[in-house]
Amino acid sequence: MTLEELCEVFAALEKRVAVEELRFAGVRVWPLVRLTLMKRQRSSATMAFVKRIGDIAKLPQYTELKDIFDTTPSPVSDQSEQSGCDVLLYSRWSDYIDKLEEGYYGRIHDPIYDHFSGEVSMTFVESWSPPARDTLPRARRTHFHDERGMPYEPRGPRAEGLRALWRGMKWLPRRLQLRRFRIRLECDHGGAPFRELLDAMKALDVATDGFVDEVKASLLQVCRYEAAADVVLDRFCPKVVMVACYYSPINMGMIRACRRRGIVVVDIQHGARGRYQPMNSYWSRIPEDGYDTLPDVFWCWGDESRANNLRFMPEGARQHDAIVGGNLWIGDWLSGKFKGSVALDCWLERARQAERTIVVGLQPFAELISTELLRAVQDAPKTWLWMFRLHPQTAGELNIIEQMLKDAGVENFAVAEPTIAPLYSLFGVADVLLTAYSSVYHEAQVFGVPGVFISPEAKSMYPNEIQHGYARYAETAEDIVKAVAKVTVTPMAPRGQPY
């Protein structure tokens, strides 16, 4: 199912069913229903959600933080372990894929800190997971927490054992609360609204087997993260929490905890957002008090993204607004603020010497490199350099990709350096961007790098760009080689509004 078809399913369900009445254990679950449907329909292809933006050539117009919340300094200004802060930047390890001289830099939260930390106090917080170890050290200090929301820092066996005992005692009340919630959830079958939903799904030829159990499991996971988020919020007492990709269970748990406390949650746009973004648009039924798993504010890169966010919102809706905050990361690169490390610059200079340098933006598909793409790389001139950049969700497959290319007899490629390097630094030496249908195409245009799409789904996502020659489409190995050989800098697709 394409993204367009998935959005049409959401729209049809919102017309047929009072989705705002879908509840389990008293919790409105329509956002989780949508998330579950999206995982089911898209998991076989990708869990990276393609979003489309318009013209991003202009530097962003930054919003004022005072437009989002009261910037009066917190009573507690000392950012110690038990400090208060104005803004809690709730990050993800997968955002830290750009390595600069001072450490790994998150392209979503770190620019927010750089632009506004002089106005308000800001703290980075993140739930620890093993992959985060590969994104250390960070350019900014990050407070990690464990699955219970308590500070995480590796220590000796004895200290860790004592801390585990203390954590267990502190967690006991929340554990009992979660157990009671699980019992209540198991006894709740959703009533008439859920029966109507399942009937509507069947009418649309959407599978329903085991669907209710999946939604319940997702809700229980969100509530576990909510309990951990309570511990984090008790510790830092923020006025605003900023997340990216709100539609993960961990972020939804944080949002629920913030809603109960009256803390504003802002979702920062993390990729190009277009007409067919299943979790950011097609919201036509919003309860008066909103959904407690959706952010209060959507921070958008530009007017077109904001318009797509609000396109189906009911008239007079007072919840889940969208603002234009700008793409601070691309703005900083365009202004020359950031550069890579000395070692990276040396590698990029060598890459520049290739006859043709191609950035291959891989997406998290089951088949990371398609058969046709692999054949194209094999058949292309050996004087070309193929820079394969892995998606954060599949960064652990780096060795597999390298071995696959070596086994195919390919020598003129790189995987590790393009994956670690800041994306925009690659565009400084690239001749072409090759991707299935990633919206990174729009960002490449800003740097004068033309794009070639190689997936049939691109034809429905970028019909105007392909038709008018702003991007090329190639499906077979032969066509891919020809497109890469012939493509030159293409004019930027015109837009009535900035991205």
Side-chain angles (χ1 to χ4, degrees):
M1 184 179 291
T2 66
L3 291 168
E4 181 179 1
E5 291 168 342
L6 183 58
C7 288
E8 289 173 352
V9 167
F10 288 167
L13 290 176
E14 292 202 351
K15 285 182 180 179
R16 302 183 185 196
V17 182
V19 293
E20 68 275 22
E21 298 302 323
L22 295 171
R23 298 174 187 263
F24 277 132
V27 180
R28 289 194 178 101
V29 294
W30 175 233
L32 280 171
V33 168
R34 290 175 65 137
L35 182 60
T36 304
L37 276 169
M38 183 169 62
K39 287 180 178 179
R40 279 190 161 205
Q41 300 301 323
R42 298 291 295 175
S43 60
S44 60
T46 177
M47 280 309 296
F49 315 117
V50 177
K51 314 153 200 83
R52 185 166 168 272
I53 56 175
D55 180 4
I56 55 178
K58 300 179 181 178
L59 286 172
Q61 298 297 313
Y62 305 131
T63 191
E64 295 289 336
L65 283 194
K66 61 181 173 58
D67 294 336
I68 304 177
F69 70 106
D70 179 13
T71 56
T72 305
S74 294
V76 183
S77 58
D78 173 31
Q79 293 191 40
S80 62
E81 291 300 307
Q82 295 295 333
S83 71
C85 65
D86 292 314
V87 180
L88 189 153
L89 301 168
Y90 201 51
S91 59
R92 308 174 298 168
W93 70 266
S94 56
D95 296 328
Y96 289 86
I97 56 175
D98 294 314
K99 190 174 184 180
L100 303 181
E101 197 74 64
E102 61 269 33
Y104 282 91
Y105 190 94
R107 60 185 300 186
I108 299 173
H109 289 95
D110 285 56
I112 299 284
Y113 180 92
D114 290 342
H115 281 271
F116 300 116
S117 60
E119 302 175 23
V120 294
S121 60
M122 294 186 167
T123 300
F124 287 86
V125 179
E126 184 174 316
S127 176
W128 175 261
S129 60
R133 198 176 298 278
D134 295 328
T135 65
L136 301 177
R138 300 283 176 84
R140 303 281 179 269
R141 182 191 177 189
T142 300
H143 298 268
F144 292 102
H145 69 81
D146 64 10
E147 70 280 0
R148 296 172 178 175
M150 298 179 188
Y152 178 88
E153 185 178 347
R155 303 190 180 186
R158 175 175 169 77
E160 193 59 42
L162 293 173
R163 291 179 75 218
L165 179 61
W166 174 76
R167 287 172 180 166
M169 294 175 63
K170 289 269 291 184
W171 186 254
L172 184 58
R174 289 183 171 86
R175 183 178 179 182
L176 295 175
Q177 186 178 9
L178 284 170
R179 182 174 294 177
R180 288 194 294 269
F181 180 81
R182 173 185 283 190
I183 294 172
R184 184 181 174 192
L185 185 61
E186 289 174 350
C187 298
D188 192 339
H189 301 291
F194 253 97
R195 289 194 293 273
E196 292 176 11
L197 173 69
L198 296 176
D199 289 341
M201 289 171 60
K202 290 175 183 176
L204 295 169
D205 293 326
V206 177
T208 60
D209 295 344
F211 184 76
V212 170
D213 290 336
E214 286 184 38
V215 175
K216 285 185 176 182
S218 295
L219 177 57
L220 187 59
Q221 190 177 22
V222 167
C223 290
R224 284 173 178 155
Y225 284 124
E226 179 186 358
D230 275 327
V231 178
V232 172
L233 297 176
D234 284 342
R235 181 181 170 199
F236 293 102
C237 306
K239 294 179 179 178
V240 172
V241 171
M242 288 186 159
V243 302
C245 192
Y246 82 88
Y247 43 85
S248 66
I250 189 169
N251 280 340
M252 285 184 162
M254 174 60 76
I255 293 170
R256 275 181 55 83
C258 288
R259 293 272 292 189
R260 286 189 286 100
R261 296 165 179 252
I263 298 172
V264 175
V265 178
V266 180
D267 178 68
I268 310 170
Q269 183 171 336
H270 66 285
R273 185 174 295 164
R275 296 173 64 85
Y276 307 120
Q277 216 297 342
M279 296 303 291
N280 289 94
S281 61
Y282 285 79
W283 294 96
S284 62
R285 301 183 75 119
I286 302 290
E288 186 174 350
D289 57 345
Y291 290 108
D292 61 3
T293 48
L294 292 188
D296 300 284
V297 179
F298 290 93
W299 174 300
C300 300
W301 286 353
D303 292 331
E304 186 174 326
S305 295
R306 179 178 184 272
N308 285 328
N309 238 92
L310 301 177
R311 194 152 54 103
F312 294 96
M313 284 283 189
E315 187 176 352
R318 296 181 297 173
Q319 304 289 335
H320 319 307
D321 196 7
I323 62 170
V324 175
N327 183 334
L328 308 190
W329 180 229
I330 201 170
D332 287 340
W333 273 89
L334 289 173
S335 64
K337 179 178 179 180
F338 285 111
K339 298 187 183 301
S341 65
V342 174
L344 173 62
D345 290 342
C346 291
W347 180 83
L348 290 172
E349 187 57 37
R350 291 198 299 272
R352 199 189 302 270
Q353 307 308 314
E355 179 187 349
R356 204 76 166 153
T357 303
I358 306 101
V359 174
V360 183
L362 297 177
Q363 295 173 255
F365 299 148
E367 185 182 44
L368 291 176
I369 298 182
S370 68
T371 302
E372 292 299 319
L373 174 55
L374 186 58
R375 281 185 51 216
V377 175
Q378 291 173 309
D379 297 343
K382 306 307 178 187
T383 52
W384 291 4
L385 175 63
W386 299 83
M387 299 197 295
F388 290 88
R389 182 178 174 88
L390 289 166
H391 188 277
Q393 293 180 7
T394 56
E397 308 296 321
L398 190 149
N399 292 334
I400 295 176
I401 294 295
E402 287 186 335
Q403 193 59 51
M404 179 190 303
L405 292 166
K406 289 177 182 177
D407 291 344
V410 179
E411 297 180 355
N412 52 324
F413 74 92
V415 182
E417 293 87 349
T419 297
I420 294 175
L423 175 63
Y424 300 155
S425 69
L426 300 182
F427 291 156
V429 301
D431 296 300
V432 184
L433 168 70
L434 190 73
T435 180
Y437 51 73
S438 173
S439 59
V440 167
Y441 153 77
H442 291 289
E443 295 169 80
Q445 274 203 319
V446 175
F447 296 87
V449 179
V452 176
F453 296 112
I454 60 174
S455 168
E457 192 158 347
K459 291 187 287 187
S460 64
M461 298 301 300
Y462 306 93
N464 294 329
E465 287 83 352
I466 295 172
Q467 179 181 350
H468 296 293
Y470 301 119
R472 289 175 178 263
Y473 174 73
E475 196 167 339
T476 67
E478 182 181 2
D479 290 341
I480 291 172
V481 174
K482 287 181 179 178
V484 172
K486 293 181 179 179
V487 72
T488 56
V489 176
T490 55
M492 184 171 293
R495 291 285 186 271
Q497 297 177 315
Y499 64 99

